[in-house]
Amino acid sequence: MPELPDVETYRQFLDATARRKQIRRVRVADSQVVDDTSQRGLTNRLKNRRINQTRRHGKHLLVKFGADRWLAVHFGMTGDLAYYKDEDNAPDYAQAIFDLSNDYHLAYISQRKLGKIQPIDNPDEFIEQEDLGPDALAGLDGAEFVDLLAGRQGTIKSTLMNQSLIAGIGNVYSDEILYRARVHPATTVKSMENRDLKKLWRRLQSVLTKTIEKQAQPNQLPASWLVRRREEGASCGICDGTIIKRKFSGRGAYLCDTHQKRK
DNA sequence: AGTACCACCTGACGGC
DNA sequence: TGCCGTCAGGTGGTAC
């Protein structure tokens, strides 16, 4: 799940629930999801500090505790957050639990343990160290996007998913953007005209923005969207074509066999 | 610079 | 019912 719109939704959820609350202690169920420190290290670092601020860059959630302590949270393929009071309501796969001063708990969920939490000193330095490109939604404008892609070698789908180029787009939303822009995923970037890239940019913005508006719930998005019909053999929501599945750079891609022709 | 493939984990699903 | 292969919305390493 967790691509940019999902992580933005988690950020808003965290702001609406645990923000301003004080940390009492942190419990870590599986140390594998915590980098560079331990349960005790996290508790020492965060105890009695308030969750003061949240940021998002691409698929990373950055959380500020007290005046200057930050955690970088990444969700991998199966991450989520939960906020609850009663231990009976603790979610499955809660790998780290932040006990709060109001007797509630904020859980970091990671079923497949492919995500991680790590303490960082400074968000901007972290983004730099991780070699993340500008945030796909807030980090650049259309002209900068066109410049960024100019001269690129690869295919458009893998380019959109390249986090060091632009941060936040994953497999599902790259498919959605290309489907709505009528571009075949294996189209080479260099074969695209500037106006094609500008159009793609507008689609990219509208897909991400509308998905966030619906709190990244696919069933709330228009029925014509690919995310509502990611299934081989489904009817296309845009033309009279059929949805097919292909593999590009190792990832399963869904596309319409009719309005996304390879050029 | 790009791409393909594997690994990291766990669970769901289809076929037999 | 149970076993097995395959696949899943992310990322990092390695080899080409």
Side-chain angles (χ1 to χ4, degrees):
Chain A
M1 232 187 271
E3 301 184 33
L4 187 154
D6 308 275
V7 178
E8 176 61 20
T9 302
Y10 299 165
R11 190 191 70 74
Q12 293 174 7
F13 174 79
L14 202 162
D15 266 1
T17 56
R19 186 154 177 256
R20 298 267 156 235
K21 309 301 186 298
Q22 217 169 23
I23 308 298
R24 277 195 177 136
R25 66 167 178 161
V26 185
R27 290 177 282 152
V28 174
D30 193 322
S31 57
Q32 197 178 317
V33 303
V34 177
D35 254 24
D36 306 327
T37 186
S38 59
Q39 167 166 297
R40 184 184 294 176
L42 274 183
T43 297
N44 288 344
R45 185 181 175 84
L46 305 180
K47 192 179 166 114
N48 297 331
R49 289 171 188 265
R50 272 176 216 289
I51 297 176
N52 267 340
Q53 188 189 339
T54 57
R55 278 180 60 178
R56 182 193 54 72
H57 188 96
K59 302 174 190 174
H60 286 270
L61 176 60
L62 306 160
V63 186
K64 185 181 180 185
F65 298 80
D68 58 358
R69 307 239 164 140
W70 291 83
L71 286 188
V73 181
H74 192 275
F75 294 92
M77 279 174 84
T78 54
D80 202 352
L81 295 177
Y83 183 75
Y84 59 95
K85 186 168 190 180
D86 205 343
E87 283 296 343
D88 291 347
N89 294 329
D92 290 340
Y93 313 110
Q95 308 298 358
I97 296 170
F98 299 80
D99 295 333
L100 305 173
S101 51
N102 61 351
D103 293 332
Y104 276 74
H105 313 277
L106 178 71
Y108 167 78
I109 301 168
S110 185
Q111 184 192 100
R112 286 168 63 185
K113 303 178 193 168
L114 296 175
K116 68 182 172 191
I117 296 177
Q118 59 187 317
I120 59 169
D121 291 329
N122 176 301
D124 295 317
E125 281 173 19
F126 173 77
I127 290 162
E128 176 95 26
Q129 283 160 12
E130 295 285 304
D131 192 27
L132 296 172
D135 183 72
L137 202 52
L140 74 174
D141 63 24
E144 288 166 332
F145 176 77
V146 173
D147 284 350
L148 197 62
L149 267 57
R152 282 259 133 199
Q153 282 296 323
T155 62
I156 190 63
K157 179 170 167 70
S158 58
T159 299
L160 288 178
M161 289 173 62
N162 182 342
Q163 302 301 300
S164 64
L165 212 56
I166 323 163
I169 299 166
N171 200 35
V172 165
Y173 290 105
S174 62
D175 280 357
E176 188 70 53
I177 291 160
L178 295 170
Y179 171 84
R180 307 211 66 74
R182 301 176 168 261
V183 175
H184 190 283
T187 305
T188 58
V189 174
K190 67 171 189 256
S191 75
M192 296 178 71
E193 307 282 347
N194 277 5
R195 64 185 156 81
D196 299 330
L197 293 174
K198 280 179 189 157
K199 181 179 152 197
L200 185 65
W201 172 252
R202 288 195 295 272
R203 288 304 186 188
L204 185 159
Q205 294 296 306
S206 70
V207 164
L208 297 180
T209 303
K210 285 178 187 168
T211 305
I212 291 167
E213 278 171 20
K214 301 297 183 186
Q215 300 183 75
Q217 296 179 74
N219 60 7
Q220 298 298 305
L221 289 162
S224 64
W225 282 33
L226 182 61
V227 74
R228 297 283 305 274
R229 47 186 79 227
R230 276 179 81 80
E231 192 180 353
E232 207 156 19
S235 64
C236 177
I238 291 178
C239 70
D240 57 7
T242 302
I243 302 305
I244 56 173
K245 183 182 182 187
R246 294 286 180 270
K247 232 172 198 180
F248 299 113
S249 13
R251 306 302 303 275
Y254 291 85
L255 67 151
C256 172
D257 68 356
T258 302
H259 81 262
Q260 289 173 278
K261 291 280 191 223
R262 200 192 295 238
K263 284 181 187 160

PDB file of all heavy atoms in Angstrom, chain A residues 133-136 139-153 159 162-167 189 197 201, chain B residues 2:
ATOM      1  N   GLY A 133      15.062  11.946  -4.440  1.00  0.00           N
ATOM      2  CA  GLY A 133      14.775  13.084  -5.304  1.00  0.00           C
ATOM      3  C   GLY A 133      13.732  13.974  -4.659  1.00  0.00           C
ATOM      4  O   GLY A 133      13.257  13.695  -3.557  1.00  0.00           O
ATOM      5  N   PRO A 134      13.335  15.049  -5.330  1.00  0.00           N
ATOM      6  CA  PRO A 134      12.290  15.926  -4.797  1.00  0.00           C
ATOM      7  C   PRO A 134      10.973  15.175  -4.632  1.00  0.00           C
ATOM      8  O   PRO A 134      10.682  14.241  -5.372  1.00  0.00           O
ATOM      9  CB  PRO A 134      12.174  17.025  -5.853  1.00  0.00           C
ATOM     10  CG  PRO A 134      12.789  16.465  -7.085  1.00  0.00           C
ATOM     11  CD  PRO A 134      13.837  15.504  -6.634  1.00  0.00           C
ATOM     12  N   ASP A 135      10.196  15.576  -3.653  1.00  0.00           N
ATOM     13  CA  ASP A 135       8.895  14.970  -3.424  1.00  0.00           C
ATOM     14  C   ASP A 135       8.020  15.158  -4.660  1.00  0.00           C
ATOM     15  O   ASP A 135       7.927  16.253  -5.208  1.00  0.00           O
ATOM     16  CB  ASP A 135       8.234  15.625  -2.214  1.00  0.00           C
ATOM     17  CG  ASP A 135       6.907  14.982  -1.895  1.00  0.00           C
ATOM     18  OD1 ASP A 135       6.911  13.844  -1.410  1.00  0.00           O
ATOM     19  OD2 ASP A 135       5.851  15.605  -2.181  1.00  0.00           O
ATOM     20  N   ALA A 136       7.364  14.082  -5.066  1.00  0.00           N
ATOM     21  CA  ALA A 136       6.609  14.105  -6.326  1.00  0.00           C
ATOM     22  C   ALA A 136       5.477  15.130  -6.296  1.00  0.00           C
ATOM     23  O   ALA A 136       5.075  15.639  -7.339  1.00  0.00           O
ATOM     24  CB  ALA A 136       6.047  12.722  -6.617  1.00  0.00           C
ATOM     25  N   GLY A 139       7.688  18.882  -4.358  1.00  0.00           N
ATOM     26  CA  GLY A 139       9.102  19.188  -4.513  1.00  0.00           C
ATOM     27  C   GLY A 139       9.522  19.820  -5.829  1.00  0.00           C
ATOM     28  O   GLY A 139      10.663  20.273  -5.949  1.00  0.00           O
ATOM     29  N   LEU A 140       8.629  19.823  -6.814  1.00  0.00           N
ATOM     30  CA  LEU A 140       9.029  20.395  -8.101  1.00  0.00           C
ATOM     31  C   LEU A 140       7.790  20.775  -8.918  1.00  0.00           C
ATOM     32  O   LEU A 140       6.694  20.310  -8.628  1.00  0.00           O
ATOM     33  CB  LEU A 140       9.935  19.434  -8.882  1.00  0.00           C
ATOM     34  CG  LEU A 140       9.379  18.181  -9.563  1.00  0.00           C
ATOM     35  CD1 LEU A 140      10.458  17.505 -10.385  1.00  0.00           C
ATOM     36  CD2 LEU A 140       8.791  17.204  -8.573  1.00  0.00           C
ATOM     37  N   ASP A 141       8.006  21.615  -9.927  1.00  0.00           N
ATOM     38  CA  ASP A 141       6.889  21.991 -10.800  1.00  0.00           C
ATOM     39  C   ASP A 141       7.047  21.298 -12.160  1.00  0.00           C
ATOM     40  O   ASP A 141       8.000  20.555 -12.386  1.00  0.00           O
ATOM     41  CB  ASP A 141       6.776  23.515 -10.928  1.00  0.00           C
ATOM     42  CG  ASP A 141       8.001  24.136 -11.593  1.00  0.00           C
ATOM     43  OD1 ASP A 141       8.710  23.438 -12.340  1.00  0.00           O
ATOM     44  OD2 ASP A 141       8.248  25.330 -11.358  1.00  0.00           O
ATOM     45  N   GLY A 142       6.090  21.560 -13.040  1.00  0.00           N
ATOM     46  CA  GLY A 142       6.065  20.864 -14.319  1.00  0.00           C
ATOM     47  C   GLY A 142       7.309  21.086 -15.156  1.00  0.00           C
ATOM     48  O   GLY A 142       7.841  20.149 -15.764  1.00  0.00           O
ATOM     49  N   ALA A 143       7.795  22.317 -15.163  1.00  0.00           N
ATOM     50  CA  ALA A 143       8.981  22.620 -15.969  1.00  0.00           C
ATOM     51  C   ALA A 143      10.196  21.877 -15.421  1.00  0.00           C
ATOM     52  O   ALA A 143      11.023  21.341 -16.176  1.00  0.00           O
ATOM     53  CB  ALA A 143       9.228  24.129 -15.969  1.00  0.00           C
ATOM     54  N   GLU A 144      10.289  21.829 -14.110  1.00  0.00           N
ATOM     55  CA  GLU A 144      11.414  21.116 -13.479  1.00  0.00           C
ATOM     56  C   GLU A 144      11.325  19.608 -13.738  1.00  0.00           C
ATOM     57  O   GLU A 144      12.338  18.939 -13.914  1.00  0.00           O
ATOM     58  CB  GLU A 144      11.428  21.399 -11.966  1.00  0.00           C
ATOM     59  CG  GLU A 144      11.859  22.813 -11.638  1.00  0.00           C
ATOM     60  CD  GLU A 144      11.565  23.236 -10.206  1.00  0.00           C
ATOM     61  OE1 GLU A 144      10.599  22.704  -9.599  1.00  0.00           O
ATOM     62  OE2 GLU A 144      12.283  24.101  -9.702  1.00  0.00           O
ATOM     63  N   PHE A 145      10.107  19.116 -13.761  1.00  0.00           N
ATOM     64  CA  PHE A 145       9.886  17.704 -14.071  1.00  0.00           C
ATOM     65  C   PHE A 145      10.386  17.382 -15.481  1.00  0.00           C
ATOM     66  O   PHE A 145      11.099  16.400 -15.697  1.00  0.00           O
ATOM     67  CB  PHE A 145       8.391  17.387 -13.937  1.00  0.00           C
ATOM     68  CG  PHE A 145       7.996  15.992 -14.311  1.00  0.00           C
ATOM     69  CD1 PHE A 145       8.237  14.921 -13.459  1.00  0.00           C
ATOM     70  CD2 PHE A 145       7.350  15.747 -15.525  1.00  0.00           C
ATOM     71  CE1 PHE A 145       7.849  13.626 -13.806  1.00  0.00           C
ATOM     72  CE2 PHE A 145       6.959  14.453 -15.873  1.00  0.00           C
ATOM     73  CZ  PHE A 145       7.215  13.399 -15.007  1.00  0.00           C
ATOM     74  N   VAL A 146      10.026  18.229 -16.430  1.00  0.00           N
ATOM     75  CA  VAL A 146      10.463  18.019 -17.812  1.00  0.00           C
ATOM     76  C   VAL A 146      11.990  18.069 -17.895  1.00  0.00           C
ATOM     77  O   VAL A 146      12.622  17.207 -18.530  1.00  0.00           O
ATOM     78  CB  VAL A 146       9.821  19.068 -18.751  1.00  0.00           C
ATOM     79  CG1 VAL A 146      10.411  18.961 -20.157  1.00  0.00           C
ATOM     80  CG2 VAL A 146       8.312  18.878 -18.804  1.00  0.00           C
ATOM     81  N   ASP A 147      12.588  19.019 -17.213  1.00  0.00           N
ATOM     82  CA  ASP A 147      14.057  19.134 -17.205  1.00  0.00           C
ATOM     83  C   ASP A 147      14.706  17.893 -16.594  1.00  0.00           C
ATOM     84  O   ASP A 147      15.734  17.419 -17.060  1.00  0.00           O
ATOM     85  CB  ASP A 147      14.506  20.358 -16.395  1.00  0.00           C
ATOM     86  CG  ASP A 147      14.297  21.645 -17.172  1.00  0.00           C
ATOM     87  OD1 ASP A 147      14.002  21.555 -18.387  1.00  0.00           O
ATOM     88  OD2 ASP A 147      14.408  22.728 -16.567  1.00  0.00           O
ATOM     89  N   LEU A 148      14.070  17.419 -15.516  1.00  0.00           N
ATOM     90  CA  LEU A 148      14.627  16.279 -14.793  1.00  0.00           C
ATOM     91  C   LEU A 148      14.665  15.035 -15.682  1.00  0.00           C
ATOM     92  O   LEU A 148      15.592  14.230 -15.618  1.00  0.00           O
ATOM     93  CB  LEU A 148      13.749  16.021 -13.567  1.00  0.00           C
ATOM     94  CG  LEU A 148      14.295  15.168 -12.430  1.00  0.00           C
ATOM     95  CD1 LEU A 148      15.522  15.816 -11.827  1.00  0.00           C
ATOM     96  CD2 LEU A 148      13.227  14.990 -11.366  1.00  0.00           C
ATOM     97  N   LEU A 149      13.636  14.885 -16.524  1.00  0.00           N
ATOM     98  CA  LEU A 149      13.550  13.679 -17.341  1.00  0.00           C
ATOM     99  C   LEU A 149      14.297  13.800 -18.671  1.00  0.00           C
ATOM    100  O   LEU A 149      14.579  12.778 -19.310  1.00  0.00           O
ATOM    101  CB  LEU A 149      12.078  13.324 -17.597  1.00  0.00           C
ATOM    102  CG  LEU A 149      11.476  12.335 -16.586  1.00  0.00           C
ATOM    103  CD1 LEU A 149      11.571  12.835 -15.167  1.00  0.00           C
ATOM    104  CD2 LEU A 149      10.029  12.003 -16.930  1.00  0.00           C
ATOM    105  N   ALA A 150      14.602  15.031 -19.034  1.00  0.00           N
ATOM    106  CA  ALA A 150      15.288  15.237 -20.316  1.00  0.00           C
ATOM    107  C   ALA A 150      16.602  14.469 -20.338  1.00  0.00           C
ATOM    108  O   ALA A 150      17.378  14.518 -19.381  1.00  0.00           O
ATOM    109  CB  ALA A 150      15.538  16.729 -20.530  1.00  0.00           C
ATOM    110  N   GLY A 151      16.822  13.720 -21.412  1.00  0.00           N
ATOM    111  CA  GLY A 151      18.089  13.016 -21.551  1.00  0.00           C
ATOM    112  C   GLY A 151      18.163  11.698 -20.811  1.00  0.00           C
ATOM    113  O   GLY A 151      19.201  11.028 -20.831  1.00  0.00           O
ATOM    114  N   ARG A 152      17.075  11.305 -20.167  1.00  0.00           N
ATOM    115  CA  ARG A 152      17.056  10.020 -19.453  1.00  0.00           C
ATOM    116  C   ARG A 152      17.022   8.863 -20.427  1.00  0.00           C
ATOM    117  O   ARG A 152      16.377   8.930 -21.468  1.00  0.00           O
ATOM    118  CB  ARG A 152      15.800   9.951 -18.576  1.00  0.00           C
ATOM    119  CG  ARG A 152      15.917  10.736 -17.319  1.00  0.00           C
ATOM    120  CD  ARG A 152      16.231   9.827 -16.174  1.00  0.00           C
ATOM    121  NE  ARG A 152      17.308  10.352 -15.380  1.00  0.00           N
ATOM    122  CZ  ARG A 152      18.028   9.614 -14.539  1.00  0.00           C
ATOM    123  NH1 ARG A 152      17.799   8.340 -14.411  1.00  0.00           N
ATOM    124  NH2 ARG A 152      18.984  10.151 -13.844  1.00  0.00           N
ATOM    125  N   GLN A 153      17.655   7.807 -20.065  1.00  0.00           N
ATOM    126  CA  GLN A 153      17.722   6.647 -20.941  1.00  0.00           C
ATOM    127  C   GLN A 153      16.521   5.703 -20.832  1.00  0.00           C
ATOM    128  O   GLN A 153      15.971   5.284 -21.816  1.00  0.00           O
ATOM    129  CB  GLN A 153      19.002   5.849 -20.640  1.00  0.00           C
ATOM    130  CG  GLN A 153      20.254   6.465 -21.239  1.00  0.00           C
ATOM    131  CD  GLN A 153      20.221   6.492 -22.753  1.00  0.00           C
ATOM    132  OE1 GLN A 153      19.729   5.561 -23.369  1.00  0.00           O
ATOM    133  NE2 GLN A 153      20.703   7.564 -23.345  1.00  0.00           N
ATOM    134  N   THR A 159      11.314   5.005 -14.590  1.00  0.00           N
ATOM    135  CA  THR A 159      11.767   6.364 -14.257  1.00  0.00           C
ATOM    136  C   THR A 159      10.855   7.004 -13.208  1.00  0.00           C
ATOM    137  O   THR A 159      11.330   7.607 -12.250  1.00  0.00           O
ATOM    138  CB  THR A 159      11.812   7.218 -15.539  1.00  0.00           C
ATOM    139  OG1 THR A 159      12.737   6.618 -16.450  1.00  0.00           O
ATOM    140  CG2 THR A 159      12.254   8.644 -15.245  1.00  0.00           C
ATOM    141  N   ASN A 162      11.644   5.665  -9.844  1.00  0.00           N
ATOM    142  CA  ASN A 162      13.011   5.855  -9.355  1.00  0.00           C
ATOM    143  C   ASN A 162      13.029   6.913  -8.242  1.00  0.00           C
ATOM    144  O   ASN A 162      12.911   8.104  -8.497  1.00  0.00           O
ATOM    145  CB  ASN A 162      13.888   6.277 -10.534  1.00  0.00           C
ATOM    146  CG  ASN A 162      15.334   6.448 -10.146  1.00  0.00           C
ATOM    147  OD1 ASN A 162      15.663   6.573  -8.968  1.00  0.00           O
ATOM    148  ND2 ASN A 162      16.197   6.448 -11.134  1.00  0.00           N
ATOM    149  N   GLN A 163      13.187   6.457  -7.016  1.00  0.00           N
ATOM    150  CA  GLN A 163      13.067   7.352  -5.863  1.00  0.00           C
ATOM    151  C   GLN A 163      14.173   8.391  -5.795  1.00  0.00           C
ATOM    152  O   GLN A 163      14.014   9.432  -5.163  1.00  0.00           O
ATOM    153  CB  GLN A 163      13.030   6.537  -4.558  1.00  0.00           C
ATOM    154  CG  GLN A 163      11.908   5.528  -4.504  1.00  0.00           C
ATOM    155  CD  GLN A 163      10.549   6.144  -4.646  1.00  0.00           C
ATOM    156  OE1 GLN A 163      10.154   6.984  -3.834  1.00  0.00           O
ATOM    157  NE2 GLN A 163       9.789   5.755  -5.671  1.00  0.00           N
ATOM    158  N   SER A 164      15.299   8.103  -6.421  1.00  0.00           N
ATOM    159  CA  SER A 164      16.379   9.092  -6.369  1.00  0.00           C
ATOM    160  C   SER A 164      16.145  10.199  -7.401  1.00  0.00           C
ATOM    161  O   SER A 164      16.792  11.241  -7.359  1.00  0.00           O
ATOM    162  CB  SER A 164      17.745   8.433  -6.566  1.00  0.00           C
ATOM    163  OG  SER A 164      17.821   7.876  -7.846  1.00  0.00           O
ATOM    164  N   LEU A 165      15.212   9.972  -8.276  1.00  0.00           N
ATOM    165  CA  LEU A 165      14.847  10.999  -9.261  1.00  0.00           C
ATOM    166  C   LEU A 165      13.667  11.833  -8.738  1.00  0.00           C
ATOM    167  O   LEU A 165      13.731  13.044  -8.660  1.00  0.00           O
ATOM    168  CB  LEU A 165      14.474  10.310 -10.576  1.00  0.00           C
ATOM    169  CG  LEU A 165      14.786  11.071 -11.845  1.00  0.00           C
ATOM    170  CD1 LEU A 165      16.254  11.434 -11.923  1.00  0.00           C
ATOM    171  CD2 LEU A 165      14.367  10.240 -13.044  1.00  0.00           C
ATOM    172  N   ILE A 166      12.576  11.135  -8.432  1.00  0.00           N
ATOM    173  CA  ILE A 166      11.379  11.756  -7.850  1.00  0.00           C
ATOM    174  C   ILE A 166      10.905  10.804  -6.761  1.00  0.00           C
ATOM    175  O   ILE A 166      10.763   9.615  -7.019  1.00  0.00           O
ATOM    176  CB  ILE A 166      10.206  11.858  -8.841  1.00  0.00           C
ATOM    177  CG1 ILE A 166      10.698  12.163 -10.252  1.00  0.00           C
ATOM    178  CG2 ILE A 166       9.178  12.858  -8.390  1.00  0.00           C
ATOM    179  CD1 ILE A 166       9.644  11.852 -11.284  1.00  0.00           C
ATOM    180  N   ALA A 167      10.603  11.330  -5.590  1.00  0.00           N
ATOM    181  CA  ALA A 167      10.272  10.466  -4.462  1.00  0.00           C
ATOM    182  C   ALA A 167       8.769  10.347  -4.262  1.00  0.00           C
ATOM    183  O   ALA A 167       8.070  11.366  -4.218  1.00  0.00           O
ATOM    184  CB  ALA A 167      10.936  10.990  -3.193  1.00  0.00           C
ATOM    185  N   VAL A 189      11.763   7.223 -22.264  1.00  0.00           N
ATOM    186  CA  VAL A 189      11.590   8.641 -21.924  1.00  0.00           C
ATOM    187  C   VAL A 189      12.052   9.516 -23.080  1.00  0.00           C
ATOM    188  O   VAL A 189      11.427  10.522 -23.414  1.00  0.00           O
ATOM    189  CB  VAL A 189      12.374   8.972 -20.635  1.00  0.00           C
ATOM    190  CG1 VAL A 189      12.333  10.466 -20.346  1.00  0.00           C
ATOM    191  CG2 VAL A 189      11.812   8.183 -19.465  1.00  0.00           C
ATOM    192  N   LEU A 197       5.452  14.984 -21.803  1.00  0.00           N
ATOM    193  CA  LEU A 197       5.923  14.995 -20.414  1.00  0.00           C
ATOM    194  C   LEU A 197       5.117  15.974 -19.567  1.00  0.00           C
ATOM    195  O   LEU A 197       4.816  15.702 -18.402  1.00  0.00           O
ATOM    196  CB  LEU A 197       7.421  15.335 -20.360  1.00  0.00           C
ATOM    197  CG  LEU A 197       8.349  14.274 -20.963  1.00  0.00           C
ATOM    198  CD1 LEU A 197       9.787  14.778 -20.999  1.00  0.00           C
ATOM    199  CD2 LEU A 197       8.268  12.962 -20.180  1.00  0.00           C
ATOM    200  N   TRP A 201       2.902  15.055 -16.391  1.00  0.00           N
ATOM    201  CA  TRP A 201       3.058  15.771 -15.119  1.00  0.00           C
ATOM    202  C   TRP A 201       1.697  16.167 -14.544  1.00  0.00           C
ATOM    203  O   TRP A 201       1.428  15.988 -13.359  1.00  0.00           O
ATOM    204  CB  TRP A 201       3.925  17.018 -15.326  1.00  0.00           C
ATOM    205  CG  TRP A 201       3.974  17.907 -14.121  1.00  0.00           C
ATOM    206  CD1 TRP A 201       3.387  19.122 -13.967  1.00  0.00           C
ATOM    207  CD2 TRP A 201       4.626  17.617 -12.881  1.00  0.00           C
ATOM    208  NE1 TRP A 201       3.637  19.624 -12.722  1.00  0.00           N
ATOM    209  CE2 TRP A 201       4.393  18.726 -12.025  1.00  0.00           C
ATOM    210  CE3 TRP A 201       5.379  16.541 -12.409  1.00  0.00           C
ATOM    211  CZ2 TRP A 201       4.884  18.768 -10.738  1.00  0.00           C
ATOM    212  CZ3 TRP A 201       5.869  16.593 -11.109  1.00  0.00           C
ATOM    213  CH2 TRP A 201       5.621  17.704 -10.295  1.00  0.00           C
TER     214      TRP A 201
ATOM    215  P    DG B   2      19.401   6.644 -16.437  1.00  0.00           P
ATOM    216  OP1  DG B   2      18.726   7.765 -17.058  1.00  0.00           O
ATOM    217  OP2  DG B   2      19.388   6.465 -14.963  1.00  0.00           O
ATOM    218  O5'  DG B   2      18.863   5.308 -17.098  1.00  0.00           O
ATOM    219  C5'  DG B   2      19.635   4.165 -17.012  1.00  0.00           C
ATOM    220  C4'  DG B   2      19.016   3.056 -17.810  1.00  0.00           C
ATOM    221  O4'  DG B   2      19.985   2.024 -17.805  1.00  0.00           O
ATOM    222  C3'  DG B   2      17.780   2.469 -17.142  1.00  0.00           C
ATOM    223  O3'  DG B   2      16.969   1.792 -18.104  1.00  0.00           O
ATOM    224  C2'  DG B   2      18.376   1.526 -16.132  1.00  0.00           C
ATOM    225  C1'  DG B   2      19.642   1.032 -16.845  1.00  0.00           C
ATOM    226  N9   DG B   2      20.758   0.835 -15.921  1.00  0.00           N
ATOM    227  C8   DG B   2      21.151   1.659 -14.896  1.00  0.00           C
ATOM    228  N7   DG B   2      22.173   1.177 -14.217  1.00  0.00           N
ATOM    229  C5   DG B   2      22.466  -0.026 -14.861  1.00  0.00           C
ATOM    230  C6   DG B   2      23.466  -0.995 -14.582  1.00  0.00           C
ATOM    231  O6   DG B   2      24.322  -0.978 -13.694  1.00  0.00           O
ATOM    232  N1   DG B   2      23.401  -2.061 -15.474  1.00  0.00           N
ATOM    233  C2   DG B   2      22.497  -2.176 -16.496  1.00  0.00           C
ATOM    234  N2   DG B   2      22.593  -3.262 -17.244  1.00  0.00           N
ATOM    235  N3   DG B   2      21.561  -1.284 -16.762  1.00  0.00           N
ATOM    236  C4   DG B   2      21.602  -0.236 -15.905  1.00  0.00           C
TER     237       DG B   2
END
